[in-house]
Amino acid sequence: MLTPGDREFAGSAVLDRDGFGSPELSALTVALSRLAAASDGVADAVARHDRLALVDCTEQADALVEEVGRLNTALSDDERALLPHVGVPELCNRLAAGARRNAYLIEQAWATDAALMRLLLGLGRVDPDGNISGYSANPGPTYVDRGA
């Protein structure tokens, strides 16, 4: 099993063993692997409510996106033909799944924070009678004028 630091060596070892690829192609697969690891770090930080780790992982991901863009433009047509052989489509699928997962986790965190804020703000409400009401206090009976 690979540890987080071993992922970059695993991608380059595959390229060297198979005898094809270039330094740019190898660097691209390493950068994509590191970007997927940063995406996993974002999910972990959101789950742990760790803002500092979230900021750190986001900064790493931003730098890696720039590196991937630079490496992508440096690839030749022959190198682009080798992308499926070195696992780039699988890495892209992993990144897409990670982005969907992270979006869901962040949406859930926002919903939880919004519900908590409604709860906290609702605790201090004062009724017209001067009584303090709770979050889901019954407003009292409602009357319908049947003669209207």
Side-chain angles (χ1 to χ4, degrees):
M1 177 162 208
L2 298 175
T3 61
D6 293 338
R7 289 182 183 160
E8 35 192 274
F9 298 117
S12 60
V14 169
L15 292 177
D16 294 338
R17 184 186 70 222
D18 292 339
F20 56 86
S22 67
E24 291 83 14
L25 190 57
S26 178
L28 178 64
T29 57
V30 168
L32 287 171
S33 296
R34 292 176 59 205
L35 185 58
S39 176
D40 294 342
V42 167
D44 187 45
V46 170
R48 290 183 294 121
H49 303 282
D50 188 353
R51 186 185 63 85
L52 296 176
L54 180 62
V55 169
D56 184 44
C57 289
T58 303
E59 289 173 356
Q60 289 176 5
D62 288 340
L64 288 167
V65 166
E66 289 178 17
E67 183 180 350
V68 166
R70 181 183 54 79
L71 291 168
N72 185 34
T73 58
L75 292 179
S76 68
D77 290 336
D78 292 335
E79 292 169 329
R80 288 182 194 283
L82 295 176
L83 291 177
H85 301 289
V86 295
V88 170
E90 290 82 10
L91 285 170
C92 291
N93 290 338
R94 182 176 165 202
L95 285 168
R100 288 189 302 273
R101 175 201 58 215
N102 291 348
Y104 174 76
L105 290 174
I106 290 169
E107 180 182 355
Q108 292 300 312
W110 284 344
T112 302
D113 288 346
L116 180 62
M117 289 305 295
R118 283 192 307 270
L119 175 66
L120 291 175
L121 292 174
L123 288 176
R125 291 191 182 158
V126 178
D127 288 341
D129 300 336
N131 298 327
I132 297 177
S133 65
Y135 175 67
S136 182
N138 187 1
T142 57
Y143 300 98
V144 177
D145 183 9
R146 299 208 184 257

